[in-house]
Amino acid sequence: MTRKFLGDRLLVATHNKGKLNEIAEILAPFGVNIVGAGDMDLPEPDETEDTFVGNARIKAHAAAKATGLPALSDDSGICIDALNGAPGVYTADWAETPNGRDFMMAMTRANGEITALGPDAPRTAQFRCTLVIAWPDGHDEVFEGVMPGSLVWPIRGEHGFGYDPMFQPDGYDVTCAELDPVEKNKISHRGRAVAAFLAGCFG
């Protein structure tokens, strides 16, 4: 049986303000005080696994152990069918530069690699999110969400972050960066994973 979350303070084990804000907005109705790993000056642990769930577990357990708080972590990324699922767990790595993350560079790389495969290469992809909540006693629960779609070029939209400007969800004619953030949260991979988390730990 899924362990319920009974506290009033939840640590979100991320230094990514975009992720933190999305999760805080979704959890707002539950009256939970959200604090980010960056706010607690926690170091970012090395993500040494090659799966979303493996890396999410590393981050959640490290944060819970360091603070004594239940910790929710997210490992997510975009999996491009034509590139055999890449960048996947390396989604953020594709954007790394000596001066921080450059997602325009990452999106350009993704589009370039698909284009290089020829005009018949599929442009389908999925955003995937795995959430892990870990308690200080070592227990954890895992929740997953997927948003299927396709990649467009040139990019469109001003909202969102990461690869959102090139990702058009199935059933929509706009990109995630053109969607209102509230609408995006309803259908996003993270929104779906958080919904599963809410049903499991708050339901």
Side-chain angles (χ1 to χ4, degrees), residues 79-88 94 109-117 121-122 124 151:
C79 301
I80 300 170
D81 293 337
L83 305 183
N84 298 314
W94 278 28
R109 174 179 173 181
N111 183 65
E113 291 197 13
I114 298 168
T115 302
L117 296 174
T124 50
L151 303 180

Side-chain angles (χ1 to χ4, degrees), residues 122-143:
R123 298 190 72 86
T124 50
Q126 304 85 40
F127 268 126
R128 294 184 173 271
C129 172
T130 298
L131 291 179
V132 171
I133 181 170
W135 280 265
D137 67 359
H139 181 82
D140 69 34
E141 301 282 354
V142 178
F143 305 94

Side-chain angles (χ1 to χ4, degrees), residues 52-203:
F52 292 126
V53 67
N55 285 326
R57 277 199 162 110
I58 288 173
K59 292 183 283 191
H61 284 284
K65 186 175 181 181
T67 64
L69 290 170
L72 181 71
S73 72
D74 157 302
D75 202 57
S76 55
I78 190 167
C79 301
I80 300 170
D81 293 337
L83 305 183
N84 298 314
V89 295
Y90 306 106
T91 291
D93 294 344
W94 278 28
E96 290 293 353
T97 76
N99 302 311
R101 290 177 178 169
D102 180 349
F103 280 99
M104 188 67 231
M105 177 185 75
M107 289 187 288
T108 301
R109 174 179 173 181
N111 183 65
E113 291 197 13
I114 298 168
T115 302
L117 296 174
D120 295 330
R123 298 190 72 86
T124 50
Q126 304 85 40
F127 268 126
R128 294 184 173 271
C129 172
T130 298
L131 291 179
V132 171
I133 181 170
W135 280 265
D137 67 359
H139 181 82
D140 69 34
E141 301 282 354
V142 178
F143 305 94
E144 296 180 294
V146 179
M147 176 171 54
S150 57
L151 303 180
V152 302
W153 202 261
I155 63 171
R156 306 196 310 261
E158 303 296 327
H159 300 298
F161 58 96
Y163 294 73
D164 283 355
M166 75 179 304
F167 188 88
Q168 183 169 300
D170 281 355
Y172 287 76
D173 59 5
V174 294
T175 69
C176 284
E178 293 175 297
L179 280 172
D180 175 82
V182 173
E183 179 70 15
K184 178 196 162 190
N185 286 342
K186 291 178 183 176
I187 64 163
S188 74
H189 52 311
R190 189 166 296 109
R192 289 169 176 169
V194 171
F197 161 62
L198 294 177
C201 292
F202 289 80

Side-chain angles (χ1 to χ4, degrees), residues 36-60:
D39 302 323
M40 304 276 288
D41 293 323
L42 296 180
E44 294 189 72
D46 291 331
E47 298 180 28
T48 54
E49 297 292 320
D50 59 4
T51 63
F52 292 126
V53 67
N55 285 326
R57 277 199 162 110
I58 288 173
K59 292 183 283 191

Side-chain angles (χ1 to χ4, degrees), residues 9-23:
R9 196 164 187 229
L10 178 65
L11 173 63
V12 179
T14 183
H15 290 72
N16 181 317
K17 289 290 187 184
K19 285 186 184 181
L20 182 64
N21 290 339
E22 276 193 10
I23 291 171

